[in-house]
Amino acid sequence: MTKILCLSLVLSCSILSQLKAQNKEFKNDAPVSPSRILKIDSAVVTHHEVTIKGQRVPYAATAGSMPIWDEEGRPVAGVFYTYYEREDIRDKSDRPLVISFNGGPGTPSVWMEIGYTGPRLLNIDDEGYPVQPFGMRDNPNSILDVADIVYVDPVNTGYSRPVSKEVPGSRFYGVNADIKYLAEWINTFVTRKGRWASPKFLIGESYGTTRVSGLALELQDEQWMYLNGVILVSPTELGIERSGPLDQALSLPYYAATAWYHKKLPADLQSKDLNDVLPEVENFTINELVPAISRGGSLEDAQRKALAQRMSRYSGLSAQVFMENNLVVPFNLFWKELLREQGFTIGRLDSRYKGLDKQNAGNKPDYNAELTAWLQAFTPAINIYLRDELAYKTDLKYNMFGQVWPWDNQNNKTGENLRQAIAQNPFLHLLVQSGYYDGACDYFNAKYSIWQLDPGGKLKNRIKWEGYRSGHMMYLRKDDLATATENLRKFIKEATPAKGTPAKYE
């Protein structure tokens, strides 16, 4: 036994020596392959055409990167973008420019680029589910007919990267740091592309709504760049306070919409159209539920039971579930409970999607059913598209979700910043688009945010909200894609004043 043990030790030492020698021989001091490094100031231009609303639209597509500089003018990161510019229009002075962001905060602009507003669309079915073969097709609903578009990938999303590991993440990864460096980048982009005269619009989805709400004021105050419009798709809370009973109650209208979709409401409600059901639930939420939850333990038992019955009626869950949770059912439990008897969970970002858990028991789903479906469709499509159609060749990994943590959420005043930007700029209009089945950034919270953005009602003629019968990315549903893009066209046209119109309050 001793000989065997000694032999094992000798072999182990020998192997370790070989490994050390190999590590020394292949020490990681060789130059990094150029194909694995982002060219922080470069671009590739290709030429295409697409038919939109029956009209032929020729366009140039630019895929590239532009730098972010520090205070001394040294590059600290490269921000990847794709820019679509209609080629049969010579005078760009009145040609709108749309600057597009997605959210996360660690995701690139892939979602709206190839799912919503861009000239090419990923292959999915009419309800947004992935299909094979993966790939692309023309988007007959793109807004490129009325506006040029640039899709921006913040640092460490898509192909965007810091220049080295020594650059501190705090320069990029936080509510206000994100807004500051992206405003600088937009200034550089607009200057290089000669678009200072153009009407300008920001569109953001999910955390991108936090981003563009802050950018609206940052661009005015620090870059002296004034916008015509801001579009919020599935907006976050925008730093607007809503805690305690208010926060706990606002989810009920979303629960009602989702239960209606899955046919879990009582027959008298289920037989109505969704738009006839929701106002009743919204009124109950604001006028009865918020005050009741505020009373907490002082509620009489009879009152508590009556409220549980009403909430059961509007949500598809049993009254017992509400009683067991003191009238406050968390989102996770709702996603697990609604279809528990059928053996399914429902999605967070789009509750039309169903998932399968290991067991029916539990208080939350094992995974987000909708997100896995979206990643399955979008990831191959964007990699094929950038490389094969836009001729952007690199061995960098395209980060669908990049490492941007820890993210500094402190001092988030983006909602108030947006209000101030609208008040300061008579040209600036706001459009908000929400999906009724979005459980992450639900539609009723979006309405609440609008109410708080304009508590005095002084800006209401320049603020509009729209609801769609789909989820977080409502444009993945074919019918909603056509309607939502047409509404974007109308918004852009209405927010672009006639020549010579002064920006002033009468």
Side-chain angles (χ1 to χ4, degrees):
M1 180 67 72
T2 304
K3 290 182 179 179
I4 295 173
L5 180 59
C6 291
L7 180 59
S8 297
L9 288 171
V10 170
L11 287 172
S12 297
C13 291
S14 175
I15 292 169
L16 285 171
S17 298
Q18 292 177 35
L19 288 173
K20 287 179 180 178
Q22 289 174 2
N23 287 338
K24 185 175 182 181
E25 182 180 352
F26 295 102
K27 186 178 178 181
N28 194 20
D29 57 3
V32 179
S33 169
S35 65
R36 296 283 291 183
I37 300 175
L38 179 70
K39 298 176 181 177
I40 63 171
D41 203 348
S42 62
V44 178
V45 181
T46 52
H47 301 273
H48 316 263
E49 65 177 52
V50 62
T51 300
I52 302 172
K53 302 295 182 182
Q55 178 186 16
R56 174 186 170 273
V57 177
Y59 65 95
T62 304
S65 179
M66 292 195 324
I68 297 294
W69 295 284
D70 66 12
E71 294 75 11
E72 284 73 42
R74 293 184 295 260
V76 293
V79 170
F80 184 79
Y81 68 93
T82 46
Y83 175 45
Y84 300 92
E85 188 176 22
R86 184 166 177 169
E87 291 189 290
D88 59 351
I89 296 177
R90 293 184 179 180
D91 182 4
K92 299 288 186 178
S93 62
D94 59 356
R95 170 77 170 165
L97 173 66
V98 175
I99 304 165
S100 182
F101 294 94
N102 275 93
T107 65
S109 292
V110 54
W111 313 100
M112 288 197 290
E113 178 175 1
I114 64 172
Y116 192 12
T117 52
R120 295 284 280 161
L121 197 65
L122 82 165
N123 288 335
I124 49 177
D125 77 356
D126 289 353
E127 293 297 315
Y129 291 86
V131 296
Q132 291 185 331
F134 302 117
M136 307 290 293
R137 64 183 188 272
D138 282 350
N139 182 5
N141 297 292
S142 172
I143 61 171
L144 187 58
D145 57 333
V146 298
D148 296 334
I149 319 162
V150 57
Y151 299 90
V152 188
D153 295 347
V155 173
N156 225 28
T157 74
Y159 289 137
S160 299
R161 298 290 190 275
V163 295
S164 75
K165 294 181 179 178
E166 282 66 46
V167 179
S170 59
R171 292 193 69 99
F172 316 112
Y173 309 145
V175 174
N176 294 297
D178 179 75
I179 290 166
K180 184 175 180 60
Y181 87 81
L182 287 171
E184 293 278 353
W185 188 92
I186 290 171
N187 185 313
T188 303
F189 179 88
V190 168
T191 300
R192 287 190 179 186
K193 303 300 181 183
R195 302 306 298 264
W196 274 98
S198 299
K200 300 171 191 68
F201 295 80
L202 298 179
I203 182 171
E205 178 185 83
S206 194
Y207 186 84
T209 62
T210 301
R211 182 172 280 138
V212 301
S213 295
L215 278 169
L217 187 63
E218 180 74 10
L219 287 170
Q220 285 184 192
D221 284 357
E222 300 299 328
Q223 307 299 328
W224 313 287
M225 183 183 296
Y226 289 77
L227 304 170
N228 287 74
V230 174
I231 302 154
L232 307 182
V233 180
S234 305
T236 63
E237 295 178 353
L238 306 179
I240 297 170
E241 180 62 29
R242 63 196 84 199
S243 58
L246 177 65
D247 185 46
Q248 294 164 344
L250 289 179
S251 58
L252 186 62
Y254 152 72
Y255 290 175
T258 300
W260 181 89
Y261 175 81
H262 288 288
K263 296 180 171 55
K264 300 293 287 185
L265 294 181
D268 63 315
L269 290 178
Q270 197 66 59
S271 63
K272 296 181 180 180
D273 184 77
L274 178 63
N275 288 331
D276 295 325
V277 172
L278 292 181
E280 178 182 336
V281 185
E282 292 174 9
N283 288 333
F284 167 74
T285 299
I286 291 297
N287 297 321
E288 299 183 51
L289 186 57
V290 173
I293 294 178
S294 298
R295 291 184 57 188
S298 71
L299 272 177
E300 299 292 335
D301 287 345
Q303 292 176 301
R304 190 182 305 274
K305 290 178 182 177
L307 284 166
Q309 290 291 341
R310 290 283 298 280
M311 297 174 80
S312 172
R313 171 175 167 79
Y314 292 142
S315 68
L317 305 186
S318 71
Q320 181 180 351
V321 170
F322 284 100
M323 290 294 291
E324 290 172 348
N325 288 273
N326 298 324
L327 303 181
V328 180
V329 172
F331 283 100
N332 277 329
L333 180 56
F334 177 74
W335 300 325
K336 182 76 174 183
E337 182 70 23
L338 185 67
L339 301 184
R340 193 190 297 266
E341 291 184 0
Q342 290 105 294
F344 295 111
T345 62
I346 58 173
R348 169 178 174 263
L349 293 157
D350 191 330
S351 296
R352 297 175 302 150
Y353 289 69
K354 297 177 182 178
L356 291 174
D357 278 2
K358 183 177 182 180
Q359 57 186 29
N360 284 351
N363 294 321
K364 64 179 181 179
D366 291 348
Y367 65 99
N368 294 331
E370 78 297 331
L371 186 56
T372 56
W374 295 344
L375 286 169
Q376 182 181 355
F378 276 85
T379 309
I382 192 63
N383 279 278
I384 293 167
Y385 178 57
L386 291 176
R387 190 173 188 86
D388 295 348
E389 294 192 29
L390 300 192
Y392 193 84
K393 310 293 185 182
T394 180
D395 288 332
L396 275 174
K397 180 171 71 173
Y398 187 88
N399 284 339
M400 298 295 286
F401 286 91
Q403 176 54 258
V404 298
W405 306 104
W407 188 270
D408 183 1
N409 281 307
Q410 295 183 11
N411 199 30
N412 179 355
K413 298 179 180 178
T414 53
E416 171 56 23
N417 291 348
L418 178 58
R419 185 209 63 78
Q420 190 171 339
I422 298 173
Q424 290 180 8
N425 178 3
F427 278 157
L428 184 52
H429 291 67
L430 174 65
L431 173 65
V432 181
Q433 297 181 321
S434 297
Y436 290 118
Y437 312 129
D438 180 1
C441 300
D442 67 274
Y443 88 91
F444 198 53
N445 262 285
K447 284 188 173 183
Y448 178 82
S449 291
I450 292 174
W451 300 341
Q452 308 315 309
L453 279 178
D454 183 29
K458 296 179 179 180
L459 307 174
K460 59 186 177 182
N461 63 325
R462 287 187 284 149
I463 298 177
K464 184 178 181 181
W465 177 88
E466 298 170 349
Y468 296 88
R469 300 192 183 201
S470 43
H472 194 71
M473 296 196 288
M474 76 287 167
Y475 45 81
L476 296 186
R477 183 170 175 262
K478 184 179 179 180
D479 289 348
D480 287 336
L481 173 65
T483 303
T485 49
E486 189 58 30
N487 288 340
L488 290 182
R489 278 187 190 81
K490 292 177 182 177
F491 176 74
I492 290 169
K493 291 176 181 177
E494 290 171 359
T496 302
K499 290 183 179 181
T501 303
K504 66 177 182 179
Y505 293 120
E506 298 292 346

